[in-house]
Amino acid sequence: MKNKNYYGYLFILPFFIVFATFSIYPILLTFYYSFTNYSGMGSPDFIGLANYKRLITDTYFLQAFINTWYIWGINFFFQLGIALGLAVLFSDIRFKMKGLGFFRAMFYLPNLITIASVALLFGILLGWHHGTLNHLLLDLGLISKPINWLNSPTTARWSVALIGAWMWFGHTFIVLMAGISGISHDYYESALIDGANRFQTFINITIPLLKPILLYVLITSLIGGLQIFDLPMLLTNGLGAPQGSLNTMVLYLYNQAFRFNNYGYAAAVAYGLFLITVVFSFITFKAMYRKSVN
């Protein structure tokens, strides 16, 4: 029987082989490349911490860092605000919303569309001369001439952020609805009997009991937001135009590796991004956890 127990390891061995080959090995190899000047050709030369010193003083990376936080901040504000507002409204025992399953499916639908399709759709909607949005605003008399939404740093950032919020608020809505559904209706019925209005109920019951879910949403959104790449890549020429306003950290990493062949420096950027994500996730967790304890 003891010998037969070892057969279990044979069954899980294929998974560990694949995991080590396609996950562990690339991670370790990337870490090694971050200390080299590897350009994709020839043998890499060890240069120590030179890539990391360059990363700390790299103004382009700093700009990409600011761009990423700017876009994510707008995205998260609207994503969470809309999702939380709808979740509270649909779960209100005094509102008695019908057809919740239909609305859940409709809100989640943008999350199922491929990012390439979303970029193509909004590329048409936000077009300068023939864009649907400009034609609509002109017909309504809200603007006097077409706006080049993707050619101005401010409007380009806001466009990408709001597209991301539109895509992900449905997922956040479902998570928050699940969290609110787990709160006992006894609290709300007691508050209703005591004469509390909706705002007081929201502030004193919903938010405190929903903090673990809000923490989950915040950290997962933070991790995903710091890795934003696809929309800026597809909506621009891949360089983060206009004026580098859409050059996020991952897009900067991609260009360093696959456009400029600076694989060693790109590996250092990857580990810098990993460290930034871990640090800010930890700070967010500690801040939210301390508030929850208090």
Side-chain angles (χ1 to χ4, degrees):
M1 290 298 296
K2 290 183 178 179
N3 293 333
K4 289 182 180 179
N5 288 336
Y6 290 102
Y7 289 124
Y9 293 105
L10 296 178
F11 285 104
I12 64 175
L13 184 60
F15 165 77
F16 283 104
I17 293 176
V18 173
F19 180 72
T21 303
F22 295 101
S23 295
I24 302 299
Y25 175 70
I27 291 173
L28 296 177
L29 186 62
T30 301
F31 184 69
Y32 167 70
Y33 281 155
S34 68
F35 297 99
T36 69
N37 62 351
Y38 186 52
S39 63
M41 301 292 292
S43 301
D45 296 324
F46 186 80
I47 57 174
L49 296 174
N51 286 326
Y52 290 97
K53 292 179 180 178
R54 175 186 171 184
L55 180 64
I56 294 174
T57 58
D58 190 347
T59 56
Y60 292 103
F61 179 76
L62 177 60
Q63 183 61 45
F65 175 83
I66 296 172
N67 291 339
T68 304
W69 279 96
Y70 188 99
I71 294 171
W72 175 77
I74 298 172
N75 180 329
F76 186 72
F77 176 80
F78 284 97
Q79 178 191 148
L80 181 64
I82 296 172
L84 183 59
L86 290 174
V88 171
L89 178 65
F90 285 7
S91 61
D92 193 332
I93 60 176
R94 289 168 286 192
F95 191 65
K96 297 181 180 179
M97 182 67 188
K98 296 182 179 180
L100 183 58
F102 171 77
F103 286 104
R104 281 177 177 173
M106 293 301 296
F107 293 157
Y108 193 75
L109 184 61
N111 197 239
L112 301 178
I113 305 174
T114 61
I115 195 65
S117 301
V118 171
L120 178 62
L121 171 64
F122 281 94
I124 296 173
L125 292 176
L126 300 176
W128 186 9
H129 294 294
H130 306 289
T132 306
L133 180 59
N134 275 333
H135 280 290
L136 178 62
L137 295 177
L138 286 170
D139 292 339
L140 294 175
L142 298 177
I143 58 175
S144 58
K145 60 181 180 179
I147 300 174
N148 195 344
W149 301 98
L150 298 178
N151 197 45
S152 168
T154 301
T155 56
R157 286 171 176 168
W158 274 82
S159 298
V160 171
L162 293 178
I163 293 171
W166 171 76
M167 288 186 62
W168 286 99
F169 92 93
H171 174 268
T172 304
F173 166 76
I174 291 176
V175 172
L176 293 176
M177 276 294 299
I180 294 176
S181 299
I183 301 175
S184 175
H185 282 183
D186 295 340
Y187 296 113
Y188 295 106
E189 291 173 355
S190 299
L192 184 61
I193 294 173
D194 291 339
N197 57 38
R198 285 185 172 88
F199 180 76
Q200 291 172 329
T201 302
F202 174 74
I203 293 297
N204 297 301
I205 297 177
T206 304
I207 292 298
L209 296 178
L210 202 60
K211 276 187 177 180
I213 305 299
L214 292 174
L215 175 62
Y216 167 79
V217 170
L218 178 57
I219 291 181
T220 53
S221 178
L222 174 65
I223 294 172
L226 293 181
Q227 298 176 16
I228 184 172
F229 163 76
D230 35 25
L231 269 177
M233 176 69 181
L234 294 170
L235 286 175
T236 66
N237 59 1
L239 291 174
Q243 302 176 29
S245 60
L246 296 182
N247 187 26
T248 62
M249 289 188 286
V250 177
L251 183 57
Y252 182 71
L253 185 159
Y254 173 86
N255 285 325
Q256 287 295 326
F258 301 107
R259 190 182 293 266
F260 305 123
N261 296 324
N262 295 328
Y263 290 95
Y265 182 59
V269 173
Y271 272 92
L273 175 58
F274 169 74
L275 182 61
I276 290 171
T277 303
V278 170
V279 169
F280 281 97
S281 297
F282 177 77
I283 292 173
T284 302
F285 176 81
K286 294 298 290 185
M288 290 287 291
Y289 180 76
R290 184 178 296 111
K291 290 181 180 179
S292 299
V293 173
N294 293 338

